[in-house]
Amino acid sequence: MAREIRLNAFQMNTPGHSWPGLWRHPRDRSDGFARLDFWTDLARLAERGLLDGIFIADTFGLHDVYLGGADAALAAGAQVPIHDPALVISAMAAVTRHLGFGLTTSVAYEHPYILARRFSTLDHLTNGRIGWNIVTGFLDSAARAMGEAGALDHDERYARAEDYLALVYKLWEESWEDGAVLRDKARGIYADPAKVHAIRHDGPYFRSEAVHLCEPSPQRTPVLYQAGTSPAGKRFAARHAECVFINGHTRSSVARTVSDLRRQATEAGRDPSDLKVFLGATVIAAASEAEARDLVEEYRPYVDPAGILALMSGRLGVDLGAVGLDEPLTGIESNGVRSIVEALTRTDPNRTWTPRDLTRFAGAAGRGPFIVGSAVQVADELQDWADETDIDGFNLTRIVFPETLEAVVDLVVPELQSRGAFKTSYRDGPFREKLFGHARGRLPASHPAKRGF
Amino acid sequence: MAREIRLNAFQMNTPGHSWPGLWRHPRDRSDGFARLDFWTDLARLAERGLLDGIFIADTFGLHDVYLGGADAALAAGAQVPIHDPALVISAMAAVTRHLGFGLTTSVAYEHPYILARRFSTLDHLTNGRIGWNIVTGFLDSAARAMGEAGALDHDERYARAEDYLALVYKLWEESWEDGAVLRDKARGIYADPAKVHAIRHDGPYFRSEAVHLCEPSPQRTPVLYQAGTSPAGKRFAARHAECVFINGHTRSSVARTVSDLRRQATEAGRDPSDLKVFLGATVIAAASEAEARDLVEEYRPYVDPAGILALMSGRLGVDLGAVGLDEPLTGIESNGVRSIVEALTRTDPNRTWTPRDLTRFAGAAGRGPFIVGSAVQVADELQDWADETDIDGFNLTRIVFPETLEAVVDLVVPELQSRGAFKTSYRDGPFREKLFGHARGRLPASHPAKRGF
């Protein structure tokens, strides 16, 4: 039996996400991101392809480090404008039955009581198909938008996130007992007050004394996603996450990350298979290798290098415009840049690496595998990556929407199915059950939400 | 030409809203509130009846003052559970074309930067059909849920709301100029950075320095609703609100409130007709008066008196269980109770008023007109109320869903149309244009958002 491959569509409520500039391609619909039909069409397509879910990234700020401002990001439509991702879910849920939704929300700027209600409401509306990608917020621009001086330092962000989770777990898991909601028309009792409890939380960052506002939803706690790959991020993921989204350039580094995550999950008392790991990937498939390669060349001129550098500068917190496009990256003093150059140097030790190299449509550092070919070739690559790295699946970047995703759905999925490496129908039940199997609609007893802190 | 009557459906994401207990009626669907089809069916029905909008109330806390706790509210399903209303909008938008959505959000617990993004996103997704009902948050239970000791005092809540609005107005109206978004595929420019501005706000309660995260939406600022009827609330409404939702028992008191609001709007430099006033009303229509009266008797036993007292106690901040159900209300020391008793006494000076009187399905104090009859009778009443009070329309409480709203749509609306008192089709354009007329998709120059503070 072949190893099962899982696929998510990686999206953001913005014109330019992973590959800014492609909204300019004549057949691309990304500049319609603000309208409902973009999302309902995406959802129908993803469900037609039996994808596990749509994973929607988010930030609360602009990428305004590159060249000292946000001009490049604005001109490229590079993750700006960026609209609220939570609000597109119910329309997508209305046109699908099984597709999951991984919604990114930061723990930096909203009170846990509000977030807990949002996810419970969505879990009800989607009939148990919601996941939460927990991010801690890293952009100084977002902090300034919220009236703060700057983002918290990295380790404190994770300490705050731990406190945040402790509180939302109580709200989701402990406030309303199973059986609290009677809807007893004869006796006239909606909920049994004896089975509804005010939770009390008095943590280092958050306090609350309240009944959760929502009755228990199919999953109670949404499927928990996390995407941090720093040491603190990995520790956090190993403790809390059920799905981890990683990026990685080489199979060996991805394999190391995956084994590290699974080892840490084991150390945290969890089953290592309770962690599904998804790798970001750019996949361009066509009827033949030649046609796929032609598509790459056709798309390439539309990718906006300044937009990519704006995003990378924001993420790294260092201005990649500090040296010229074709000057050595080593001219920039930054640990982040240094580790990218080291990774690139391992792929070709004799080259001088420049900002331009970071923007190449194929194979740029830190942007994950770039997989191009016929259905057979793409399926081979996906299976090889999964076999060699122990990942569970891929997060497919938005390229030219919808055609690149249609090619995956119409060509790659059937090929993987013919190899027994892809499901041929959705499993019934909530999102967590679809991911982890029978009778797993709720968190397992080994998860910290169930064990207390 | 008859005066135009406008209708909204008044809703809440909860089993028991204005009349808790009716979820127990065999034909009522309110206990399905957590599911999508409740909302999409409601939206289709409201649009079939050419209603202006669905107005969704909200709170962030339980009504836990009655008898010293939330037991009565929980047992009655009286505004608990209460799910997030923002998340049902996009699904309703997907099945309608013209219907507006008035979404309640408090300014008490979320940063204005986050709220501004939510409403801009919804304005895009609905193609300009979103309104914001601004509430300041009054429940101590909500404050405790957010880790605070209690709700702010009344006047400070409005001072905070003023600061909140000053900031969101800047984000909606000033951050992105018209013409900032070029989507110029040939030149490769999504937005012109010269036309996108970071707003700066340093107010008594809120600070922000940021570009708004969303490109300009059809209306920019959502249609602004407000529902406060205290002196501070009315001042706030007269300054900011475009639609005001009021409750009132007698025509004379409603007429006074309306003229007071319009006078204050004039004093604030606005046109008094720039304020649309909607009165909460319970309307039960049938083919004949006798059938309508039978429905009232049929529904009455399902209304939950303890649920109503729980809601009123929470709203008044005083325990209406402090005296027995049939003891005089005058035994309770409270300004709020005193003014209710005064209003009731004007309707019948020789009676002793008790908590039970507050829970009567017909004609209870402070619960607005209760209008029962054939289509002709109901239309007469609605027109008389509007003519005598100068209101613009009604917010129809949820009674037995969907049948009581179906009766309005199928019987009352055609009757009003035949009298020339109800539109026969929707006007094109965004929600604000539908309410206020041609070329009014955005706020007028006389509104404080446009004049600065």
Side-chain angles (χ1 to χ4, degrees), chain A residues 152-162 205 230-233 235:
Chain A
L152 292 179
D153 83 43
H154 186 272
D155 285 354
E156 190 170 4
R157 292 209 309 266
Y158 280 101
R160 198 176 183 278
E162 286 281 344
Y205 297 89
S230 68
R235 266 197 310 278

Side-chain angles (χ1 to χ4, degrees), chain A residues 265-278:
Chain A
T266 310
E267 286 168 11
R270 301 173 62 202
D271 187 318
S273 69
D274 283 352
L275 219 55
K276 300 276 182 227
V277 184
F278 292 86

